[in-house]
Every structure is written in structure tokens, then in C-alpha cells.
Amino acid sequence: MEPAGALPPSCSPAPEAAEPPGSPALPAEERPSASAAQEARRRGPDPQGPAGRGARGGGGRAPARRGCEPGGRARRPRVTVDSSKAKTSLEALKISLRQLRWKEFPFGRRLPCDIYWHGVSFHDNDIFSGQVNKFPGMTEMVRKITLSRAVRTMQYLFPLEYNFYPRSWILPDESSFFEKEIRMMKDRDPSWKPTFIVKPDGGCQGDGIYLIKDPSDIRLTGGLQSRPAVVQEYICKPLLVDKLKFDIRLYVLLKSLEPLEIYIAKDGLSRFCTEPYQEPTLKNLHQVFMHLTNYSLNIHSGNFIHSDNVNTGSKRTFSSILCRLSSKGVDVKKVWSDIISLVIKTIIALTPELKVYYQSDIPAGKPGPTCFQILGFDILLMKNLKPMLLEVNANPSMRIEHEQELSPGVFENVPSPVDEEVKVAVIRDTLRLVDPQKQKKKDIQCQTLEHVSDTKEELLDAGPPDRLEHDANKNTEAGLPSLCLKQVFPKYAKQFNYLRVVDRVAALFIRFLGVKGTTKLGPTGFRTFIRNCKLSNSNFSMASVDILYIDITRRWNSMGIDHKESGMCWQAFVEAFFCLAQKKYKSLPLHEQVASLIDFCEYHLAVLDEKRLVCGRGIVERRNALVTCQTDGLQLTPAAHTSLLNRMATASKLADYRNHQY
């Protein structure tokens, strides 16, 4: 499919898709235009605007008590944001904070802030409270190799649900396997002439990416050992607009990890190549402006077009592309629905290992910040309109200006209306969703509703929760457009919860880590896992358990997985768990094998926890009884006490054996 022609001036974005799962509503008329956003940026907040009236001094303000607005209402405390580590997102963040009328601390603050905005990672600052816009471990999780492994795990379990990610091989670990597999496929089908794309693991902005036709063409410059990479099947039949290949940058907010909460921006960016697309051949294989959509590469092309119009140029809004497709009869609701599904499934693949990192940096029960993060999803639409995931960015660029060459070698930063329209809205509305003052109000409202729900009349007087929340936020949200971020999870949880199998495996892994702050499971922890879950038997002895642990751990450690601490890493534990599931449930498909083993482990751990709870209560009761007996002049002898405990233990073991043997 190759839509052509100019965007009809009367074309408006398609309406929101019906559930489940529907598409986000495309940008509505209330969103400020690019020119209006620029004007607001230059002008700053209107002191007499709806959100500003009564906030700061004006000549005609009526006297009021300190800390109160005119009329006696308590003034809302201003949310404080530490932007000292914001880096490239600083300008968009400043505009957002001005629109929200929040207090910025560009050089940091001695006192704690409500929100810390980091430019690179969770560890940009040492934080012990508030909220931070990065998850620990996210940068490592979305690296090309780690992402490929996470998605591959889900492809093993649910191959049809995860067919949106190209077939991938990890170099150098799978170099020989890659060569053998391609040779076998070519032998089976001599007409198959594939193209592959090689992406360095730590590369960004198109750095080091190249195309090959044969495994023997892989470049060894610098050595794969020093720079590992992912090689993928190249998507040869992309959707074209104006004969150009393009990709989509969508912004996704991971608001919470537990419980999982995901939002998708209703608009994104479309980044275009700058040379007309042709399917890869040996002659055009090295033409990066034809095959690679990276903005950082194409901006250096002489054909790159900077445009202030969201419908034209080498960078446009995604809504303009959807509008154009809609005018050609494309079902854009279906496109959005497929994209939402891709995003949710990808995050479900990432969250298990992300939880391992999270508990390492913020152990349960210890003080620490809560986290949220804006992710950049790079998606390619195929000719048949199927979305394919290219990569996920932990630190998507939030710059709202671009470099323009005034004369040879002389550049200046020029505002980019397209970037500003999309990115400022994403940052501003992310802050609105994580507003700590809103959370406090919700907590107060919940307590109020619980208090008044004792009688029906009081509950009716209080009004429905949505109305209460609307009234509470009415003044603080005045003058702002509607949210550009739409919740997709847990909204569509029912459709996707069956995929969260590996999340439950992660809970088992974290339970047996033992020492808080670690990410690797020691041999004692692995043996305890096997023993407590009753996975050893006459056919699988503890000696076999030790061999399994040593073999898998040694292989994963040889792959260059983090050597800072010894033990079994998360990926190795997943492999061991799958191996145990296949041993125990041989006749079932893999996803049922894994789910059955999880159920088995969770059951035995629940029984163990219940026994410990009962035992703990029994000890307390016996201590109390002993004190009572001593007070009454009676004495329970140690021999009698020991005999009683032995009889209880024997009875418990016998009952357990009868009820749970397998």
C-alpha cells in the first residue's frame, strides 16, 4: 500500500476506537496548535488566567490570610520539581511546569522535592523519597540484547501473540547457530533471498547499524566480543507514504509497576527517510537514507525537510499519517488497536526482570521513591498495516528544537513546532497524572467516602466518587487541555492478564533471593526453592539439582552477563524453571507446562506459609499458657512439652503426605 497525494485540508483525525481494546482518541481540537504553543512559551503563563487568579500578587487583590486564597479557601501547596538532572528534556519540562504553575528547582534543593526529573537513569541522584521519572534497571532492560531475550521468552510461550517482533539472533553468542539456521532455510527454499539488519547492543541514534545479505557479511571491526549486537530479519515491505519509508515514535508512560499501569500518548511522531524506498539489493544496501528511519541520520541528508506544518516534511505527527490513511479508506481504529496490543505485550515481557532490578534498588519495607517513566516505542507499519516493534527507548529525546545550518559549519538551534506540540503535552500530562497533591486528595476522599457510607442518606449527599474527584481537581485543572495520555492497562487487563505468566516466575525468584539488594540467586537459595516447592524426588535428586544449577549458571555467566556478583541471574533462572516444567509435565505445551509448575510451586509455598503462621500462633499461645500455669502454681515439664511438639509435627507431616503427594 502506498498512499499518495496531499492531506485533505478538511480531514480530521479518526474517532476513538471502540473497546476492547480501542485506540486512543486522536488529538482533539482543544489541544493547542504548534503556533499557539510557541506563543504561550514566549509569553509565559497568564497571571490573570483561570489557573493563575488569586495565586500571586496583583494590584486589585483583596486582603487574605496568609496561606489562603481570597474568600478564605486554603491555597493549594505548589508541587516542587528538581530539574537539575533533566538535560535534553529541560526546555520542554520548563514549559510544562509553567503551564502547571509548579515550582521548579533547576539547581536542586536541600529539602526533598515532590518529583525528581532525571535525564538518563534512576541513579542520576541519590533519592530517598518523592517520585522519580526513571525506573531502576530500565536502561539495561531495553538494550537491544536484553529486549530481544525478554521478547523471545514470551515467543517461546506464546508464539502467535508475540509475532510483532522480527526474528532475532544475539551475537557473538549465537553466531554459529545463526549461520546454520540461515543455511538450512536457504537449502529448503533456494528462492528465499533474505536481508538482515545488524544493530550494536549499546548503539543509539542509528550508530553502527548496517544491512547484510549473508551471515558471512557481518563486520568484525572492533570485534563482536567488545561490541555485541543483535541481528534481525529486515522488514522488506514497509508501508510507504510519498514513496518514503517511515517509522512511528510513540510515547508510553509506565506509571506504576505494581500494580501495572500503562498510558499511551494519543499522538506521536512519524520520522521519514529522505530517499525513495526500494527493496534491498547489493547495490542499494548501504544507502542509509533509504533504509534507516533514524532522525539523527536523516537530518544530515540534503533532502531533509524541516517543516512547521505537522502534515509535511521529514518529521510529522502520527495523527496526520492516520488522517491520510483514513482518507484512503484504511481502518485506523484497527491500526490503533494493534499498536495498543503491541505496547501492552511488550511491557508485559519487560516487567518481570524490571521487578528484579526494582527490588534490588528499592527493597520492600525500606524508604525509597516511587517511580514512573516515559518510554519511546519505535514501530514500523508493514505494507499490510501490521505494526512491528523495532526497539524501545528508555530515554527518548524530548528536545523541542533542531539544529539548522546557517553557513558551512555554523549551526543554531531553531524551535521545532512538531516536536513541541507532541512532547510538551506528553511531559505536562505525565506530571498531571503523577501529581502528588491529587493522590493526597484521593486518599482523603476515600477516607471520607468510607466514613459517610454507613448510611444511605450520607452516601447520597456525598455524591459519586467521580464527581468528588472532578470537583477536587476542577480548579487545579482549569485552563489546561484534556489529557493526551490514555490508560490502556489495567483498562484492558482482562484481555492480556493470561500473558503474565513470567511475572509469577519473577515473584518466585525474588522470594528466594534471600539478601535484599541482590539480583542473583545463590546455590543455597536455589536448593531452598527446590526443597520448599517439593520439586525433588527419586527421579530428580538434590545432586541433580546442583548439577542443573551449575550448568545453567556457568553458561549464562560465560555470556558476559553481569559479573559484579556471583550466582544465577534472572535469565538463567527462567531457563532452569522451563527445564523443570518440561521434566514434570511432559505431555503439555510449554506455556501450560510453565503455568502448571507455577501453580504447583505457589500451592506448596502457600501451605508452608500457613504452617509457619499456625506454628507462630501456637508458640505464642503455648507461652501464654505456660505463664498462666506458672501463675496458678502449675509447671509443664520440658519432657512433656517436647513430647507434645513431636506428636504435633508427626501428625502434620502425615497429613501433608496424604493430601499433597504426587
Side-chain angles (χ1 to χ4, degrees):
M1 179 172 184
E2 193 170 307
L7 180 70
S10 60
C11 184
S12 60
E16 184 170 346
E19 303 171 9
S23 66
L26 299 180
E29 289 76 16
E30 71 268 16
R31 173 178 291 182
S33 65
S35 57
Q38 282 184 283
E39 181 62 26
R41 176 186 169 192
R42 288 193 298 269
R43 198 170 57 235
D46 180 7
Q48 299 302 320
R53 293 192 184 104
R56 287 214 168 181
R61 187 175 67 177
R65 296 193 310 271
R66 186 176 181 180
C68 295
E69 295 179 355
R73 294 191 306 272
R75 183 181 299 165
R76 181 177 185 260
R78 298 178 74 186
V79 178
T80 56
V81 180
D82 183 333
S83 63
S84 60
K85 302 290 184 180
K87 298 193 175 182
T88 57
S89 62
L90 183 59
E91 191 59 32
L93 178 63
K94 285 181 177 292
I95 295 173
S96 301
L97 294 176
R98 284 202 297 268
Q99 292 178 2
L100 295 171
R101 297 185 174 276
W102 289 6
K103 179 67 174 175
E104 179 190 5
F105 290 87
F107 304 107
R109 186 190 189 198
R110 289 185 178 180
L111 295 174
C113 282
D114 295 312
I115 295 173
Y116 295 83
W117 195 273
H118 290 180
V120 179
S121 77
F122 174 82
H123 297 287
D124 285 355
N125 261 331
D126 291 329
I127 305 168
F128 303 99
S129 63
Q131 300 182 78
V132 60
N133 71 317
K134 301 292 180 188
F135 278 93
M138 183 65 82
T139 302
E140 292 79 7
M141 272 308 307
V142 300
R143 288 172 71 97
K144 295 174 180 63
I145 287 179
T146 318
L147 174 64
S148 295
R149 282 182 175 139
V151 175
R152 183 187 295 179
T153 297
M154 299 304 294
Q155 287 175 334
Y156 289 152
L157 297 170
F158 307 101
L160 295 179
E161 287 87 340
Y162 279 83
N163 62 0
F164 56 80
Y165 192 67
R167 193 182 326 183
S168 306
W169 297 266
I170 296 167
L171 306 178
D173 302 326
E174 300 171 356
S175 297
S176 58
F177 177 69
F178 171 52
E179 294 175 6
K180 290 177 183 177
E181 188 170 6
I182 299 307
R183 192 180 306 117
M184 289 173 57
M185 294 174 72
K186 285 184 175 181
D187 290 342
R188 285 199 299 265
D189 183 6
S191 64
W192 184 55
K193 300 185 184 299
T195 302
F196 304 97
I197 183 167
V198 182
K199 304 176 181 179
D201 181 44
C204 61
Q205 300 180 337
D207 176 44
I209 297 177
Y210 60 95
L211 273 60
I212 60 173
K213 279 289 187 179
D214 190 83
S216 60
D217 298 332
I218 293 175
R219 301 172 192 169
L220 297 177
T221 306
L224 283 173
Q225 293 291 348
S226 60
R227 197 178 191 192
V230 168
V231 57
Q232 295 178 321
E233 280 191 85
Y234 180 74
I235 301 168
C236 295
K237 297 185 182 297
L239 176 69
L240 303 180
V241 170
D242 298 334
K243 299 182 179 180
L244 298 172
K245 179 182 175 181
F246 69 97
D247 74 354
I248 305 157
R249 164 61 61 83
L250 279 183
Y251 297 97
V252 175
L253 170 63
L254 181 57
K255 184 174 180 285
S256 170
L257 193 58
E258 192 61 56
L260 184 60
E261 196 169 350
I262 308 168
Y263 291 77
I264 295 182
K266 297 175 184 177
D267 203 358
L269 299 172
S270 298
R271 293 92 55 93
F272 282 76
C273 287
T274 47
E275 290 183 12
Y277 179 78
Q278 299 174 7
E279 289 197 22
T281 64
L282 291 174
K283 291 183 178 180
N284 67 29
L285 209 60
H286 306 296
Q287 296 184 25
V288 294
F289 298 144
M290 176 189 294
H291 295 294
L292 303 185
T293 54
N294 302 75
Y295 167 78
S296 53
L297 293 177
N298 283 280
I299 195 173
H300 299 294
S301 167
N303 297 327
F304 191 92
I305 301 173
H306 291 289
S307 175
D308 290 347
N309 190 322
V310 298
N311 304 315
T312 60
S314 297
K315 185 188 285 187
R316 315 176 194 178
T317 59
F318 180 44
S319 58
S320 72
I321 302 299
L322 287 177
C323 182
R324 185 165 179 167
L325 296 178
S326 180
S327 70
K328 300 293 182 181
V330 172
D331 184 358
V332 294
K333 293 181 181 179
K334 176 67 165 57
V335 174
W336 257 122
S337 179
D338 291 344
I339 289 174
I340 289 172
S341 178
L342 179 153
V343 168
I344 294 174
K345 290 174 181 177
T346 302
I347 290 184
I348 285 175
L350 294 174
T351 51
E353 189 168 1
L354 197 59
K355 289 179 179 179
V356 175
Y357 281 109
Y358 191 89
Q359 65 80 34
S360 174
D361 280 279
I362 312 175
K366 289 191 175 182
T370 55
C371 302
F372 63 95
Q373 188 155 353
I374 298 171
L375 302 172
F377 274 67
D378 291 347
I379 297 169
L380 184 75
L381 288 178
M382 296 177 65
K383 193 173 182 179
N384 62 3
L385 295 175
K386 177 182 177 179
M388 298 293 289
L389 176 66
L390 299 180
E391 60 182 57
V392 180
N393 294 271
N395 300 305
S397 172
M398 286 296 178
R399 291 188 62 180
I400 54 176
E401 63 277 328
H402 60 79
E403 285 187 347
Q404 184 170 334
E405 191 170 16
L406 302 178
S407 59
V410 179
F411 296 86
E412 73 169 351
N413 287 330
V414 178
S416 170
V418 177
D419 286 295
E420 186 168 326
E421 177 171 338
V422 173
K423 295 176 182 178
V424 170
V426 169
I427 291 179
R428 179 195 65 228
D429 292 349
T430 293
L431 293 171
R432 290 165 71 184
L433 285 169
V434 301
D435 183 352
Q437 301 296 341
K438 279 187 182 178
Q439 188 57 49
K440 290 177 183 177
K441 287 181 180 178
K442 284 183 181 179
D443 294 341
I444 294 172
Q445 289 165 12
C446 289
Q447 293 173 4
T448 303
L449 285 175
E450 289 174 2
H451 177 69
V452 303
S453 61
D454 292 337
T455 62
K456 183 177 179 180
E457 292 78 9
E458 288 176 328
L459 182 59
L460 292 173
D461 290 340
D466 291 343
R467 177 63 180 272
L468 284 175
E469 183 176 341
H470 173 74
D471 292 342
N473 297 326
K474 189 173 180 180
N475 291 330
T476 59
E477 296 287 312
L480 294 174
S482 61
L483 287 171
C484 77
L485 294 165
K486 173 182 176 176
Q487 187 192 84
V488 296
F489 200 95
K491 184 173 184 178
Y492 303 128
K494 288 183 179 179
Q495 291 94 315
F496 297 98
N497 270 338
Y498 74 99
L499 298 172
R500 302 187 69 185
V501 174
V502 187
D503 255 27
R504 296 165 66 192
V505 180
L508 296 173
F509 180 73
I510 291 170
R511 172 173 176 143
F512 290 98
L513 281 175
V515 180
K516 291 183 178 180
T518 185
T519 59
K520 290 192 175 182
L521 185 66
T524 302
F526 189 71
R527 288 172 64 91
T528 305
F529 157 68
I530 296 292
R531 191 180 297 111
N532 287 0
C533 294
K534 301 190 181 301
L535 296 178
S536 61
N537 51 44
S538 58
N539 297 322
F540 187 60
S541 65
M542 293 307 292
S544 301
V545 170
D546 292 338
I547 293 172
L548 178 69
Y549 176 88
I550 292 169
D551 286 349
I552 293 179
T553 301
R554 184 178 295 164
R555 184 169 65 256
W556 278 95
N557 286 343
S558 69
M559 294 180 188
I561 304 296
D562 183 22
H563 292 296
K564 294 178 182 178
E565 53 181 316
S566 61
M568 175 180 273
C569 65
W570 158 249
Q571 295 98 331
F573 182 79
V574 171
E575 181 183 335
F577 196 88
F578 283 17
C579 179
L580 293 169
Q582 290 169 320
K583 283 178 179 291
K584 190 168 182 62
Y585 305 99
K586 296 179 181 178
S587 61
L588 300 176
L590 180 60
H591 72 275
E592 292 185 20
Q593 291 175 334
V594 172
S596 297
L597 185 59
I598 293 171
D599 290 339
F600 184 84
C601 293
E602 289 177 345
Y603 170 75
H604 283 290
L605 292 175
V607 171
L608 181 64
D609 290 341
E610 186 176 354
K611 284 183 179 178
R612 287 173 176 169
L613 183 62
V614 171
C615 182
R617 288 176 179 170
I619 290 173
V620 172
E621 290 172 359
R622 283 193 294 275
R623 283 176 180 169
N624 293 337
L626 183 60
V627 171
T628 304
C629 290
Q630 290 174 342
T631 304
D632 294 339
L634 302 176
Q635 180 64 48
L636 185 64
T637 65
H641 182 67
T642 304
S643 176
L644 176 62
L645 287 178
N646 289 339
R647 287 199 302 273
M648 290 175 62
T650 302
S652 177
K653 287 180 180 178
L654 182 60
D656 184 68
Y657 175 77
R658 287 173 176 170
N659 294 331
H660 313 307
Q661 67 179 145
Y662 54 94

